[in-house]
Amino acid sequence: MTEQNAYQVADWNGQSGEYWVANQARLDAMMAVFGQAAIEAAAPVTGERVLDVGCGAGASSLDLAARVGAGGYVLGVDISEPLIGRARALAPQDTPALFRVADASGAELPEGAFDILFSRFGVMFFDDPTGAFAHMRRALRPGGRVAFVCWRGAVENDWVRLPMVALKGIVPLTTPPDPEAPGPFSFGDRARVTRILTAAGFTDIAIAPFDASITFGEGETRDAAIDDTVKRVLEGGPLSRALADQPDDIRAHAWAAVRAAFAGLPGERSVMINGAAWIVMARNPRN
Ligand SMILES: C[S@@+](CC[C@H](N)C(=O)[O-])C[C@H]1O[C@@H](n2cnc3c(N)ncnc32)[C@H](O)[C@@H]1O
């Protein structure tokens, strides 16, 4: 029998985990506006208890902790040892946030112990999303609420759509990727998210689009900013694997093609790319 989420556990403790730790400050800056939108949707108040799923380096957990205060509590869980290590290192001593290495889809969680189930881009990686949400729902009190942000589809997110189009014919891409396979875009289909949450026992599901312009690359000059953008997308994004084992000439060709695709985007000493996300809300029934 294969272990649940084995690929994700290996990746977030390996290549992706290392990339996210190395780029933590920049990634947090890029994701901040999306996390804030999800926190506004969650509307935490003093004294509430929050479970932050796939908390990564903990930026959202710490923001939530500041909102719930010393009478409240935030538990950040993540499968990635290096990211939980970074979260603990960044946490101020007096924060009411705690961090734990755990697979949220099956970890022992105290029953009915949380008011809010929250996530910033951390719930799209489960092998069995319905089973995972049903499991996490049991940790919510009756009437407790869900608020998370996830990406819409890859076709709506130019930071992956443009390079995918540019790389066609240069490297073999696994296109079309299975849109439901665990990964950043697996919650892109709003109807699928509704089905998963409904089957997991949630009610009052509301899913709204949220768009924000992300500073993807920066540099001393516009050219440097475009190079920075290409580097980020090809070294750390979902496309990084496509180039991993390619010879130098193919990599150079791919770099030039992706660079040309990004060169038309707005920005001065930056490259601004629209990020297309869903803000998802739901409720645990009161019984
Ligand atoms: C895109 S990152 C987002 C991290 C963080 N929420 C942020 O916004 O910076 C996705 C995170 O989900 C975590 N993750 C993936 N599957 C998980 C699971 N089954 N249980 C807990 N965390 C998981 C990964 O380790 C990773 O840290």
Side-chain angles (χ1 to χ4, degrees), residues 4-5 8-9 11-13 17 20 24 27-28 31 35 52-60 77-81 83-84 100 102-106 118-127 132 136 149 151 184:
Q4 278 280 303
N5 308 315
Q8 299 295 333
V9 170
D11 185 43
W12 288 102
N13 283 284
W20 274 68
Q24 169 260 314
L27 288 165
D28 274 340
M31 303 297 117
D52 182 6
V53 177
C55 65
S60 302
V77 294
D78 201 289
I79 47 172
S80 171
E81 301 242 8
L83 279 166
I84 287 290
R100 186 173 142 202
D103 181 337
S105 69
F118 176 89
S119 184
R120 183 178 86 173
F121 298 123
V123 289
M124 306 90 87
F125 302 92
F126 302 121
D127 286 346
M136 296 187 295
V149 58
W151 295 116

